[in-house]
């Protein structure tokens, strides 16, 4: 187990498509160590998720976990989830304006449109195939992490330029309204 360096925007690995993992290797020591490193690094940085390419591993894999998170106090909780070779499909056209930050984009945040109803298919850390429907705010976290695997970072999707700001400016000028926007969503969708 190790806390790894988190690559920053501009690193070529963050801008490239990550490659599939051979599902027969999921139980190998190497892949299990990558999973542990992702979890350790995410928790150390108080991230809500981290993808393998953010810590230098060019494969299609990410982890997510949301407990009491000081970076995102309004996010609904999500248990630790290990995702390998994911596929996402959109189940409706309903979208939500999600304000996002990223461990690879230091001190910046911005609004991104995300789908609210998605279906996900992936392999877990035991190599078992999982399918799940995810709705509400948690769907935004899935899409943020999935984007990393295709070399897309949240600033590439920010359309409302006035929303792109530092964490301090978000706290000072946007967080109160945004927390209400999220609260309304979570009370409607339950997640
Ligand atoms: Zn990110």
């Amino acid at each position: 187990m190790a806390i790894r360096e988190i690559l920053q925007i501009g690193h070529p690995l963050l801008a490239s498509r990550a490659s599939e993992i051979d599902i027969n290797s999921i139980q190998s020591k190497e892949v299990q160590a990558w999973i542990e490193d992702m979890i350790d690094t995410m928790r150390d940085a108080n991230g809500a998720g981290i993808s393998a390419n953010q810590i230098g591993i060019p494969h299609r894999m990410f982890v997510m976990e949301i407990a009491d998170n000081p970076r995102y106090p309004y996010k609904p909780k999500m248990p630790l989830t290990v995702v390998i070779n994911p596929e996402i499909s959109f189940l409706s056209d309903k979208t939500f304006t999600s304000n996002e930050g990223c461990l690879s984009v230091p001190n910046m945040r911005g609004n991104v449109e995300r789908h609210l109803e998605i279906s996900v298919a992936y392999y877990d850390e035991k190599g078992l195939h999982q399918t799940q429907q995810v709705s509400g705010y948690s769907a935004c976290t899935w899409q943020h992490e999935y984007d990393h695997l295709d070399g897309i970072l949240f600033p590439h999707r920010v359309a409302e330029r006035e929303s792109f700001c530092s964490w301090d400016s978000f706290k000072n000028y946007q967080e109160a309204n945004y927390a209400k926007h999220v609260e309304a969503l979570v009370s409607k969708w339950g997640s």
Side-chain angles (χ1 to χ4, degrees):
M1 86 178 235
I3 293 161
R4 296 225 199 174
E5 181 195 354
I6 300 171
L7 305 184
Q8 302 291 284
I9 185 168
H11 192 289
L13 273 188
L14 291 175
S16 331
R17 186 186 184 279
S19 62
E20 275 74 14
I21 295 218
D22 172 0
I23 56 165
N24 297 313
S25 73
I26 291 175
Q27 299 278 25
S28 70
K29 277 200 175 122
E30 184 181 37
V31 174
Q32 291 295 313
W34 290 343
I35 293 169
E36 275 189 34
D37 288 357
M38 286 193 291
I39 295 168
D40 292 343
T41 308
M42 170 183 70
R43 286 178 174 165
D44 177 67
N46 288 319
I50 202 165
S51 64
N53 53 350
Q54 284 183 279
I55 59 167
I57 301 159
H59 292 297
R60 301 184 80 74
M61 187 165 66
F62 56 79
V63 295
M64 297 173 291
E65 181 181 47
I66 303 164
D68 289 320
N69 189 310
R71 275 165 65 87
Y72 304 103
Y74 42 77
K75 275 204 183 212
K77 308 236 183 314
M78 189 196 286
L80 177 65
T81 308
V82 176
V83 176
I84 297 167
N85 293 354
E87 287 169 53
I88 291 186
S89 42
F90 303 137
L91 298 176
S92 76
D93 292 333
K94 292 191 192 100
T95 61
F96 179 75
T97 304
S98 164
N99 184 279
E100 301 184 5
C102 179
L103 296 172
S104 293
V105 186
N107 197 33
M108 297 302 294
R109 303 186 57 131
N111 286 349
V112 178
E113 281 304 300
R114 297 291 189 192
H115 284 263
L116 273 170
E117 294 178 293
I118 63 172
S119 151
V120 299
Y122 62 99
Y123 291 87
D124 68 14
E125 68 278 16
K126 297 190 178 82
L128 300 174
H129 193 247
Q130 305 283 349
T131 55
Q132 202 182 322
Q133 290 196 7
V134 184
S135 57
Y137 204 43
S138 302
C140 303
T141 305
W142 271 89
Q143 289 161 83
H144 177 110
E145 298 309 328
Y146 184 88
D147 267 355
H148 275 296
L149 307 184
D150 286 340
I152 299 166
L153 298 174
F154 84 84
H156 303 139
R157 293 198 186 273
V158 172
E160 291 170 41
R161 61 189 164 83
E162 68 281 8
S163 75
F164 195 49
C165 69
S166 71
W167 279 67
D168 276 350
S169 292
F170 177 77
K171 233 181 184 18
N172 291 336
Y173 308 115
Q174 299 183 29
E175 186 172 62
N177 275 340
Y178 184 65
K180 280 186 211 148
H181 175 62
V182 172
E183 203 179 305
L185 178 84
V186 172
S187 68
K188 184 170 171 205
W189 292 78
S191 56

